Amino acid sequence: MPKEFSVALKGALSLFIVGTHISSLCQPDEALLWLRVCNLLTPLALVFFFFLSGYGLMTQLRLRTLRTPTTSPATLWAGWLPRRLWGLLKPFLFFYVVALFFLFAGFGFDHIPQALAQLKVNFIIWKVGIPGPLFVAWYLLELMVLYVFFYFSFRYVRRWGRAVLVLVGLTLLLMLVAWQVGFGYYWLRYPLCFSVGVAYAIYERSIYKQIKTYRILCLPAVLLLIGVYIWSVLTFPNQPVVLILTSHLAYFALPVMLTALSKALGATDLFMRRAHGPVGSALMWLGGISLETYLLHMSFVSLYKSQMIYIQSPVLFLIAVYASSIFGAYLIARYLRVLVRA
């Protein structure tokens, strides 16, 4: 998978997540067609974000191993975990401060007691995936845990196939603990997609070869998986047990099938030939600031539906959130990158 393709993919997927959070503060009759599309595709976008995170980590490990095949594990992994965790904690802390500012601005700086009360509520309900007031921080927190699992799995298990099994086992344990203590469905729905991305990076050549050989059969299989996925999203959270199991199969299989098929059918190569055109350049630019957009947009969503600023029109609300989030993410990535990126 070319890096430019994965970056552009993240840029497109981040737009769906922003749209979903915009629609969360709109009335049902105010949901524009674009917002409905975002609601439908956001779970798949999150699946791909976890998949690409695992894929990227494993690909980097493979490249390091190929460059220095005789390096001892202790040398190869020296400082790896602290660097990776700091790479997630750093943006978390930065955008936590930013979100605090927007929280107080939304209530008005002359109504600090109300803002503090809301902050207290956000802290109380952090366990359902909203460590307030940074509404989307569950993604970073979950990735931190998965990075720790990845480190122990591949640092101390020599065979990568067995290391993937250890990673899956640890992730299942995380999901069990999250379920028992009442964490939100985000902690249960997506973490195994990280392991799928890791496994795909290891067996990418053989998977691609098989899918390319049987691509005529893979197309109806993908359509079936997409149908199951759409059915699960439309019926969530009132789903029968059978649909829950089959929908998760779709979550795990779709990123693998779509990634390999895009290459087998020439879509990836077509994008790479046009990567520096208007559309390709725009998507790669968005992908370069996708983390900042993801962590910033919810602050604007709340601000524009707050006591200080309340945008009534759904269209103006949508435009304001997208414009503010993308422009703000660009400014942060351009001028404050040292405070966000490790």
Side-chain angles (χ1 to χ4, degrees):
M1 186 193 304
K3 182 179 179 180
E4 294 84 353
F5 183 75
S6 63
V7 170
L9 181 61
K10 288 191 290 185
L13 296 177
S14 65
L15 298 179
F16 299 139
I17 296 174
V18 175
T20 293
H21 288 133
I22 292 174
S23 70
S24 67
L25 293 186
C26 294
Q27 297 298 321
D29 59 331
E30 296 176 340
L32 306 172
L33 177 60
W34 169 251
L35 298 181
R36 294 174 185 174
V37 171
C38 291
N39 285 330
L40 182 63
L41 295 180
T42 287
L44 185 60
L46 289 169
V47 164
F48 262 98
F49 271 113
F50 278 96
F51 173 82
L52 292 173
S53 295
Y55 177 86
L57 278 188
M58 191 64 225
T59 300
Q60 292 173 13
L61 175 59
R62 290 184 64 187
L63 292 175
R64 292 206 320 273
T65 305
L66 290 173
R67 292 193 193 104
T68 55
T70 59
T71 304
S72 65
T75 304
L76 184 66
W77 290 92
W80 185 91
L81 186 59
R83 288 196 305 271
R84 291 295 179 178
L85 293 183
W86 177 240
L88 296 174
L89 183 61
K90 194 175 184 179
F92 175 90
L93 295 175
F94 177 84
F95 282 97
Y96 188 89
V97 174
V98 172
L100 279 176
F101 172 82
F102 277 98
L103 176 68
F104 285 101
F107 278 93
F109 291 102
D110 54 340
H111 294 85
I112 292 180
Q114 296 181 35
L116 290 174
Q118 182 62 42
L119 179 61
K120 181 179 179 181
V121 171
N122 286 335
F123 271 117
I124 292 173
I125 64 173
W126 76 275
K127 70 177 185 177
V128 298
I130 312 176
L134 190 53
F135 304 94
V136 294
W138 69 270
Y139 174 70
L140 293 180
L141 297 179
E142 195 162 12
L143 273 185
M144 288 182 192
V145 178
L146 294 174
Y147 278 18
V148 172
F149 291 168
F150 180 88
Y151 172 79
F152 282 106
S153 300
F154 288 88
R155 167 67 175 83
Y156 297 105
V157 180
R158 289 187 174 273
R159 293 183 178 273
W160 284 352
R162 295 177 182 176
V164 171
L165 294 179
V166 173
L167 177 61
V168 170
L170 291 172
T171 305
L172 289 173
L173 180 62
L174 166 68
M175 295 167 65
L176 177 62
V177 172
W179 175 55
Q180 289 295 319
V181 299
F183 275 44
Y185 69 89
Y186 336 89
W187 290 78
L188 305 176
R189 192 186 235 180
Y190 303 111
L192 275 177
C193 299
F194 178 86
S195 298
V196 173
V198 171
Y200 182 74
I202 296 174
Y203 305 109
E204 183 173 11
R205 289 182 180 274
S206 59
I207 292 174
Y208 170 71
K209 183 178 179 180
Q210 293 297 319
I211 289 182
K212 184 177 182 180
T213 302
Y214 301 103
R215 57 185 178 272
I216 301 301
L217 297 177
C218 289
L219 282 173
V222 167
L223 292 176
L224 177 61
L225 290 171
I226 291 175
V228 172
Y229 167 80
I230 294 175
W231 184 25
S232 70
V233 173
L234 295 178
T235 57
F236 182 83
N238 301 314
Q239 299 173 341
V241 176
V242 174
L243 180 57
I244 293 176
L245 296 176
T246 54
S247 66
H248 279 80
L249 174 62
Y251 288 154
F252 304 146
L254 274 175
V256 174
M257 299 289 286
L258 291 175
T259 301
L261 271 178
S262 68
K263 177 67 175 177
L265 299 177
T268 303
D269 295 334
L270 176 63
F271 172 81
M272 293 304 297
R273 288 196 297 270
R274 301 182 179 181
H276 298 290
V279 176
S281 298
L283 288 176
M284 286 195 292
W285 180 77
L286 286 172
I289 60 171
S290 60
L291 176 63
E292 289 80 3
T293 303
Y294 184 81
L295 294 173
L296 181 63
H297 76 275
M298 196 61 196
S299 294
F300 284 111
V301 170
S302 300
L303 178 66
Y304 294 146
K305 289 291 186 181
S306 67
Q307 296 179 7
M308 295 299 294
I309 305 174
Y310 193 91
I311 300 178
Q312 186 69 39
S313 168
V315 176
L316 292 179
F317 180 48
L318 182 146
I319 294 173
V321 172
Y322 269 112
S324 301
S325 300
I326 294 174
F327 184 63
Y330 163 74
L331 293 178
I332 292 171
R334 176 69 176 82
Y335 298 105
L336 300 175
R337 188 178 183 85
V338 67
L339 299 177
V340 178
R341 302 279 184 158

